[in-house]
Amino acid sequence: MYKQNIYKILCNEKIAKDVYKMILEGDTQYVTAPGQFINIKLDGKFLRRPISVCDCDAASITVIYKVVGSGTQQMAELEIGESLDVLTGLGNGYDISKSSRPLLIGGGVGVPPMYMLAKSLIKDGQKPTVILGFNTKDEIFFEDEFKSLGCDVRVTTVDGSYGIKGFVTDAFTDDYDYFYTCGPMPMFKAIENIAETSGQYSFEERMGCGFGACMGCTCKTRYGNKRICKDGPVLEREEIVW
């Protein structure tokens, strides 16, 4: 179930190269699982901007976004105190019941949903290992936040300017029984080549409505067509057609 509401901006700050953290004050009851997303309406833009939920409490929602076009540039220019029209509680989110020794893999703007997921897994008595993948040191964010949760954190950079040189697959461990991931498609395909367990992938997809009405983000799975915004964005490894 989703809900449309007006939210007040409490924070909108730059935390890495082209990356911003925004905290929105308002109704959070419809955010019920890590991996869900919100859809933000921007003045002058026909389509809303879908952004993964990074964290959520009783009074606020935290999202992290990267400036990649005119819409996210417009978001970066919003000021504290301004209001936004937001749809919340979108997407299915991750199922945390499948793991006992989880491996979390986030690439770039796929990192944020891993944070709320890690908190949920820890609350469930699990201790996640977290791999964060970036292109370069200037793009890194939330390493300390994951460490503060007690996670075993491994950071990779493609250019080797920080952490492990290479891709997220270069930081894989054998000590896991299930994986959760969010990031770009090339990263997914690399994970698919080496992962030895079942897992869940959260797909980044262009969306129209964000709640399943327009059918614009439909994808084929082994069990029929699914809408990334409604039936996803999280799909299990066994159902994905690559």
Side-chain angles (χ1 to χ4, degrees):
M1 183 177 183
Y2 70 92
K3 182 70 173 179
Q4 180 178 4
N5 262 320
I6 302 300
Y7 293 77
K8 184 171 74 172
I9 299 173
L10 299 181
C11 170
N12 192 24
E13 63 177 355
K14 188 174 184 179
I15 59 173
K17 181 183 179 183
D18 298 326
V19 177
Y20 290 76
K21 179 175 77 172
M22 178 181 286
I23 302 176
L24 299 170
E25 180 183 49
D27 186 0
T28 66
Q29 65 177 304
Y30 296 96
V31 180
T32 58
Q36 289 185 304
F37 65 96
I38 64 174
N39 225 359
I40 300 174
K41 181 176 176 59
L42 298 172
D43 291 342
K45 302 296 183 185
F46 179 69
L47 295 179
R48 293 174 180 263
R49 265 49 186 182
I51 308 289
S52 296
V53 174
C54 175
D55 199 9
C56 180
D57 59 27
S60 68
I61 296 171
T62 299
V63 296
I64 293 175
Y65 63 95
K66 185 174 183 178
V67 174
V68 294
S70 61
T72 43
Q73 179 60 52
Q74 187 173 330
M75 286 178 59
E77 296 169 359
L78 294 172
E79 298 182 355
I80 293 174
E82 291 192 64
S83 296
L84 285 174
D85 181 321
V86 180
L87 298 178
T88 67
L90 300 173
N92 59 347
Y94 292 102
D95 179 354
I96 67 169
S97 69
K98 303 294 184 74
S99 61
S100 60
R101 302 191 316 280
L103 177 64
L104 280 56
I105 313 134
V109 289
V111 166
M114 296 293 103
Y115 183 72
M116 184 173 173
L117 175 59
K119 290 179 70 175
S120 298
L121 289 165
I122 290 168
K123 186 177 180 180
D124 190 54
Q126 304 180 48
K127 185 177 180 180
T129 296
V130 180
I131 302 174
L132 310 177
F134 303 93
N135 289 315
T136 185
K137 181 179 180 180
D138 293 342
E139 299 177 358
I140 295 171
F141 61 89
F142 261 53
E143 176 187 7
D144 292 339
E145 284 81 352
F146 279 102
K147 287 182 176 178
S148 294
L149 294 178
C151 300
D152 174 13
V153 182
R154 305 173 181 202
V155 179
T156 68
T157 52
V158 176
D159 66 0
S161 55
Y162 186 89
I164 299 168
K165 178 178 173 59
F167 303 99
V168 294
T169 47
D170 293 305
F172 255 58
T173 170
D174 293 329
D175 187 23
Y176 71 98
D177 64 357
Y178 198 86
F179 69 87
Y180 304 86
T181 184
C182 184
M185 187 62 72
M187 185 186 87
F188 283 179
K189 291 182 177 180
I191 292 171
E192 186 66 13
N193 286 333
I194 72 166
E196 299 178 349
T197 71
S198 184
Q200 295 171 36
Y201 292 85
S202 180
F203 284 82
E204 301 171 348
E205 184 67 52
R206 283 189 172 274
M207 298 178 186
C209 66
F211 47 83
C214 73
M215 308 299 289
C217 59
T218 301
C219 70
K220 182 180 179 181
T221 76
R222 298 186 189 278
Y223 311 119
N225 291 330
K226 289 193 173 184
R227 299 157 294 179
I228 291 297
C229 70
K230 178 72 172 179
D231 306 309
V234 179
L235 299 178
E236 293 192 5
R237 184 181 190 182
E238 290 76 15
E239 64 184 311
I240 298 169
V241 177
W242 296 102

